[in-house]
């Protein structure tokens, strides 16, 4: 099962970071390949994500739901499509009144006949997608390019 973990700092108070990361549409705008997020309820949403590996691309439709929501410290979620299952979390910690540490984790598991192939494809992408997600969140919140 491919896994990724990315820890990054944002020069904003924890409440500001939480407000951003608890908004599914805003999170989607930072997720590599995300084309659309449709919020269905406070805890459920549908995501359209285009995954590209070399010359091949696949659009995945997934339904996501929050599984743990502890403002402003933790949000965990799971998403499922016919091809895969994703579990993830974002843990926030106030480093100072104006700086927040975010720990983003995700685990992907392929399903059915594509299980092995999805695992191989995602193993090569998950870390770089986590890096890009962190950079995008940081850029949106504080206007900088680096995510470390």
């Amino acid at each position: 099962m491919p896994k990724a973990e990315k820890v990054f700092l944002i020069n904003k108070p924890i409440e500001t970071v939480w407000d951003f990361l608890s908004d599914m549409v805003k999170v989607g705008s930072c997720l590599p390949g995300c084309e659309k997020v449709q919020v269905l309820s406070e805890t459920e949403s549908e995501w359209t994500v285009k995954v590209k590996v070399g010359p091949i691309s696949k659009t995945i439709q997934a339904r996501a739901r929050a599984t743990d929501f502890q403002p402003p410290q933790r949000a965990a979620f799971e998403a499922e499509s016919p091809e895969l299952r994703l579990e993830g979390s974002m843990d926030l910690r106030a480093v100072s009144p104006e700086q927040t540490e975010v720990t983003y984790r995700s685990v992907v598991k392929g399903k059915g006949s594509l299980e092995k192939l999805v695992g191989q494809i995602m193993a090569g992408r998950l870390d770089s997608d986590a890096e890009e997600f962190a950079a995008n969140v940081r850029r949106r919140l504080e206007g900088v390019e680096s995510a470390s």
Side-chain angles (χ1 to χ4, degrees):
M1 257 184 302
K3 299 177 184 182
E5 180 174 313
K6 177 67 180 164
V7 179
F8 57 103
L9 294 174
I10 297 177
N11 293 314
K12 294 288 180 184
I14 192 169
E15 293 80 11
T16 302
V17 178
W18 176 261
D19 287 346
F20 184 87
L21 291 176
S22 61
D23 183 317
M24 291 177 262
V25 174
K26 289 178 181 174
V27 169
S29 73
C30 295
L31 188 70
C34 185
E35 296 181 339
K36 180 181 175 188
V37 177
Q38 181 179 358
V39 177
L40 304 174
S41 72
E42 223 175 84
T43 59
E44 292 190 24
S45 55
E46 288 186 352
W47 296 64
T48 303
V49 180
K50 190 175 209 172
V51 179
K52 187 170 180 175
V53 180
I56 301 169
S57 66
K58 167 89 173 138
T59 300
I60 296 172
Q61 303 278 343
R63 178 165 242 171
R65 72 178 185 88
T67 57
D68 188 9
F69 206 66
Q70 300 173 30
Q73 289 93 19
R74 178 173 172 76
F77 59 91
E78 60 185 22
E80 197 158 351
S81 76
E83 302 87 0
L84 58 84
R85 178 178 171 82
L86 170 81
E87 293 178 6
S89 64
M90 290 181 278
D91 292 292
L92 282 62
R93 182 176 68 88
V95 176
S96 73
E98 292 298 317
Q99 191 174 54
T100 304
E101 178 186 82
V102 178
T103 302
Y104 168 71
R105 294 180 185 91
S106 61
V107 178
V108 176
K109 181 174 173 66
K111 292 171 56 181
S113 61
L114 297 176
E115 181 175 353
K116 190 172 184 177
L117 179 61
V118 167
Q120 291 170 344
I121 291 169
M122 294 310 291
R125 301 190 46 99
L126 220 47
D127 283 333
S128 64
D129 282 356
E131 285 280 339
E132 188 176 342
F133 173 75
N136 291 342
V137 169
R138 216 166 150 210
R139 184 171 35 257
R140 290 280 308 275
L141 281 168
E142 59 183 44
V144 297
E145 293 297 316
S146 172
S148 43

